[in-house]
Amino acid sequence: MEGVEQPGGGPGDVHFDVIAKGEWPSRLRVNLVRFAPGARTAWHRHANGQTLHVTDGVGFVQSRGGELIVMKPGDTVYTPPGEWHWHGAAPEHFMSHLAMWEALAEGQEGPETEWAEHVGDEDRRSGGVGAPDQGQAVPVDEER
């Protein structure tokens, strides 16, 4: 499948390959996302939440106002529905992960994914304090 640049692109090169489109009757969407060192998404949120599973490299995920979580191969992180977050590679490492989420259900109002501003270096250090927060990204093996 052809790699495509991310919508709402942040700093650095981020490309993804669509693995599952979530075509009826399944709503499951899966992308393999590849980040160059230091590359990251813009702030975004998913109507039905998102699960990330790191396949290679070292990266970060962070909820708006939350702590910076380091992700390594084999780590799985969940962001709840409506949670503003970003994810990307550590400055000196490439990183790839599977991104999994559900498309909108029939009659569910959306957008499915909403993109916002780019994540600056200061946001990454501070947690992007200042925007509403509806939970926190958490590693799946931890209690929620």
Side-chain angles (χ1 to χ4, degrees), residues 40-45 50 52 59-71 77-80 83-88 119-129 133 135-138:
R40 53 194 176 262
T41 65
W43 287 105
H44 64 286
R45 62 183 176 177
Q50 182 181 49
L52 306 173
F60 302 121
V61 62
Q62 185 176 41
S63 297
R64 184 94 65 176
E67 69 180 87
L68 189 66
I69 297 171
V70 176
M71 301 186 299
V77 176
Y78 173 72
T79 57
E83 174 67 32
W84 286 104
H85 67 283
W86 67 270
H87 32 105
V119 175
D121 291 334
E122 184 57 35
D123 289 327
R124 192 167 63 182
R125 287 188 291 273
S126 71
V129 177
D133 179 30
Q136 295 292 317
V138 292

Side-chain angles (χ1 to χ4, degrees), residues 29-52:
R29 297 190 190 273
V30 181
N31 288 347
L32 174 60
V33 187
R34 296 179 181 92
F35 297 83
R40 53 194 176 262
T41 65
W43 287 105
H44 64 286
R45 62 183 176 177
H46 303 273
N48 294 320
Q50 182 181 49
T51 299
L52 306 173

Side-chain angles (χ1 to χ4, degrees), residues 53-107:
H53 179 79
V54 179
T55 59
D56 187 47
V58 178
F60 302 121
V61 62
Q62 185 176 41
S63 297
R64 184 94 65 176
E67 69 180 87
L68 189 66
I69 297 171
V70 176
M71 301 186 299
K72 295 181 178 177
D75 289 347
T76 302
V77 176
Y78 173 72
T79 57
E83 174 67 32
W84 286 104
H85 67 283
W86 67 270
H87 32 105
E92 297 170 1
H93 297 274
F94 287 89
M95 191 267 293
S96 297
H97 66 53
L98 294 172
M100 298 163 277
W101 71 101
E102 289 185 337
L104 297 175
E106 188 174 331

